């Protein structure tokens, strides 16, 4: 067998091994039999704890350990082990099989390195641009008494803002290299080991592919965030019912799969706005209502509107998991995730895009939420000139 196999007596001593075990430890068979199995791991106490768990539970699955070769080399492995019994039904010992996961560890390290590169570059560029903008704002404040100087600084501020608008494009370009490195690494694994890998190894390759896909989603969301300004359309009189219908059409698969109920309590008004961007706001807010749901619950989403002074105020309410009050002040910032990546998908940019769109229209966005009961997002759009319900 390619995998190290070992049988262990109830007292923890080794009763038999295969050739793979001899190779991975560097110890001959006679030198292994009769010795304590935990001596050949970098963490003997953890190995002993796994042994005790097998006796307690009957088996262990994918138990992580590291085998130390007599020359100092380390081999990371995943152990799967179970007790075996004698003819009388008593526990005769343990049968354990170890799977070498060196390639998976290398893949994880490559992914982590690429991700850290990505993160460092984004932070660098963000810090530089934010500092440049702050410095420019200070100069404008200091020279606002002089009209000519103020005009010049205002032009500089406009240039700085333009740089900020291009930030996502610059960042996405720089991120392509580490992304390509990961893709290339995956292709190399597939070409070199295709036909030799078991199902678990294929999962490891999928792990790299998933990481690549996540980074691609980050890039796409950064581009969407930038395009709120760079690819915007002129305001026109639009029917927000049509904008909402398009958002629901885009989400129809998620709505169907979750058996969600979406209710529009009032006929929505006509407003002066960018119709595509209003659709995106509805889509992001309803998409979040579908995503952040209690297990087993049927999503209930209510959409309504009311006129308040010179604004139309739209509401999207749900019965989801809700948001803790201490997080409410940061959920509209870029890359703000309140949950671990494994719990819910997404990059933490969707609400930042909503805020950017609403503010482009001269409005504001807010949320009220009770953990466990749901959230209500509201955003306002000025009625503008002659907008009518």
């Amino acid at each position: 067998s390619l995998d190290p196999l070992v049988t262990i007596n109830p007292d923890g001593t080794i009763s038999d091994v295969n050739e793979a075990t001899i190779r991975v430890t560097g110890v001959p068979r006679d030198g292994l039999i009769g010795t304590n199995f935990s001596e050949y791991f970098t963490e003997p106490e953890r190995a002993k704890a796994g042994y005790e768990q097998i006796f307690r539970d009957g088996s262990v699955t994918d138990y992580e350990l590291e085998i130390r070769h007599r020359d100092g080399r380390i081999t990371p492995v995943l152990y799967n082990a179970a007790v075996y019994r004698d003819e009388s039904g008593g526990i005769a010992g343990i049968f354990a099989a170890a799977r070498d996961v060196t390639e998976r560890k290398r893949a994880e390290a490559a992914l982590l390195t690429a991700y850290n590169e990505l993160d460092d570059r984004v932070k660098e560029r963000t810090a530089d641009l934010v500092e440049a903008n702050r410095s420019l704002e200070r100069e404008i404040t200091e020279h606002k008494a002089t009209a000519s100087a103020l005009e010049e600084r205002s032009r500089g501020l406009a240039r700085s803002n333009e740089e900020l608008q291009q930030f996502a494009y610059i960042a996405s370009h720089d991120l392509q290299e580490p992304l390509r490195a990961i893709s290339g690494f995956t292709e190399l694994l597939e070409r070199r080991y295709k036909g030799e890998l078991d199902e678990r190894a294929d999962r490891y390759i999928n792990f790299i592919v998933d990481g690549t896909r996540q980074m691609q989603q980050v890039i796409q969301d950064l581009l969407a965030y930038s395009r709120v300004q760079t690819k915007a359309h002129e305001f026109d009189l639009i029917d927000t019912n049509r904008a909402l219908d398009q958002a629901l059409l885009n989400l129809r698969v998620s709505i169907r799969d979750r058996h969600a109920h979406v209710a529009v309590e009032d006929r929505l008004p006509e407003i002066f706005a960018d119709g595509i961007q209003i659709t995106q706001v509805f889509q992001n807010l309803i998409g979040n209502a579908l995503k952040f749901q209690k297990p087993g619950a049927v999503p209930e989403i209510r959409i309504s509107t009311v006129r308040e002074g010179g604004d139309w105020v739209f509401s999207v309410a749900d019965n989801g998991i809700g948001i803790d009050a201490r997080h409410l002040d940061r959920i509209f910032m870029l890359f703000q995730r309140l949950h671990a990546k494994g719990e819910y998908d997404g990059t933490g940019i969707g609400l930042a895009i909503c805020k950017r769109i609403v503010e482009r229209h001269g409005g504001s966005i807010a949320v009220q939420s009770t953990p466990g009961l749901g959230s209500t997002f509201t955003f306002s759009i000025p009625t503008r000139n002659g907008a009518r319900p």
Side-chain angles (χ1 to χ4, degrees):
S1 172
L2 295 176
D3 297 328
L5 305 176
V6 61
T7 56
I8 307 168
N9 296 316
D11 63 358
T13 58
I14 297 172
S15 59
D16 203 358
V17 299
N18 67 348
E19 282 298 320
T21 304
I22 295 170
R23 289 195 300 272
V24 79
T25 60
V27 180
R29 183 172 181 274
D30 291 344
L32 289 168
I33 294 176
T35 60
N36 192 300
F37 83 103
S38 64
E39 298 174 2
Y40 303 99
F41 298 97
T42 59
E43 297 179 272
E45 290 303 316
R46 176 170 170 76
K48 184 178 179 182
Y51 177 79
E52 293 171 351
Q53 182 180 341
I54 300 168
F55 273 104
R56 185 175 62 252
D57 300 336
S59 65
V60 296
T61 301
D62 289 346
Y63 193 86
E64 290 194 3
L65 288 170
E66 291 183 336
I67 300 174
R68 178 185 286 113
H69 192 279
R70 69 192 306 172
D71 67 4
R73 283 180 290 144
I74 303 297
T75 302
V77 296
L78 290 177
Y79 259 102
N80 292 279
V83 297
Y84 64 91
R85 301 179 182 276
D86 55 27
E87 295 179 355
S88 64
I91 295 176
I94 291 173
F95 179 78
R99 176 54 53 89
D100 186 341
V101 292
T102 302
E103 290 301 324
R104 189 197 76 171
K105 293 293 185 181
R106 289 174 181 167
E108 289 176 346
L111 179 62
L112 180 61
T113 299
Y115 178 82
N116 287 337
E117 276 185 31
L118 178 155
D119 192 47
D120 289 342
R121 290 182 183 181
V122 169
K123 286 179 179 178
E124 260 181 41
R125 291 187 175 276
T126 302
D128 289 344
L129 289 172
V130 168
E131 181 56 34
N133 200 43
R134 286 175 179 169
S135 176
L136 190 53
E137 288 176 347
R138 285 195 298 269
E139 289 182 21
I140 291 173
T141 300
E142 292 170 0
H143 296 88
K144 62 181 179 180
T146 306
S148 60
L150 179 59
E151 184 177 354
E152 179 59 29
R153 298 303 185 274
S154 295
R155 286 196 294 267
L157 180 59
R159 289 193 298 271
S160 178
N161 286 336
E162 184 178 354
E163 289 177 353
L164 287 172
Q165 298 300 331
Q166 297 301 320
F167 163 74
Y169 289 100
I170 297 170
S172 65
H173 178 272
D174 288 349
L175 300 183
Q176 298 305 312
E177 285 304 320
L179 198 60
R180 279 193 288 267
I182 297 172
S183 297
F185 187 81
T186 307
E187 292 171 2
L188 178 62
L189 284 177
E190 286 183 327
R191 287 197 303 270
R192 185 171 179 181
Y193 297 101
K194 189 173 183 64
E196 302 178 19
L197 301 176
D198 59 10
E199 182 178 354
R200 181 173 297 153
D202 289 338
R203 289 204 308 271
Y204 300 156
I205 292 177
N206 289 337
F207 173 77
I208 304 173
V209 173
D210 287 343
T212 305
R213 187 179 297 113
Q214 289 174 12
M215 281 189 279
Q216 288 173 331
Q217 187 60 54
V218 170
I219 292 172
Q220 293 303 316
D221 285 350
L222 279 172
L223 290 172
Y225 182 78
S226 176
R227 285 169 179 158
V228 171
Q229 296 291 346
T230 60
K231 300 295 182 181
H233 296 81
E234 293 292 329
F235 290 177
D236 198 359
L237 186 63
I238 68 160
D239 183 351
T240 49
N241 296 283
R242 291 187 178 180
L244 174 60
D245 288 344
Q246 184 61 52
L248 295 175
L249 182 63
N250 296 342
L251 294 168
R252 63 188 180 281
V253 175
S254 294
I255 292 172
R256 181 197 63 203
D257 291 348
R258 292 170 171 80
H259 307 289
H261 299 155
V262 181
V264 183
E265 297 182 353
D266 309 289
R267 179 164 178 79
L268 305 183
E270 291 184 343
I271 59 174
F272 278 94
D274 182 333
I276 293 176
Q277 290 189 345
I278 297 301
T279 294
Q280 187 170 12
V281 172
F282 278 128
Q283 183 171 325
N284 288 1
L285 295 180
I286 296 171
N288 279 355
L290 294 169
K291 181 195 308 182
F292 298 105
Q293 269 295 328
K294 299 181 286 290
V298 175
E300 299 282 351
I301 303 168
R302 302 179 309 282
I303 300 161
S304 61
T305 185
V306 63
R307 188 163 181 169
E308 293 183 358
D311 294 334
W312 282 107
V313 179
F314 298 85
S315 298
V316 178
D318 63 60
N319 63 335
I321 61 175
I323 305 166
D324 193 301
R326 58 198 171 96
H327 299 311
L328 295 179
D329 60 343
R330 65 184 182 92
I331 61 171
F332 296 104
M333 299 179 184
L334 278 172
F335 301 113
Q336 293 301 309
R337 296 174 54 90
L338 306 184
H339 307 275
K341 289 185 178 179
E343 294 182 72
Y344 300 97
D345 58 11
T347 58
I349 296 180
L351 288 177
I353 290 174
C354 289
K355 181 174 186 290
R356 194 171 176 87
I357 289 173
V358 171
E359 289 180 349
R360 177 186 175 236
H361 286 74
S364 61
I365 188 168
V367 61
Q368 292 182 330
S369 186
T370 302
L373 297 180
S375 304
T376 299
F377 285 84
T378 59
F379 65 94
S380 64
I381 302 293
T383 56
R384 302 292 183 186
N385 300 321
R388 57 187 184 279

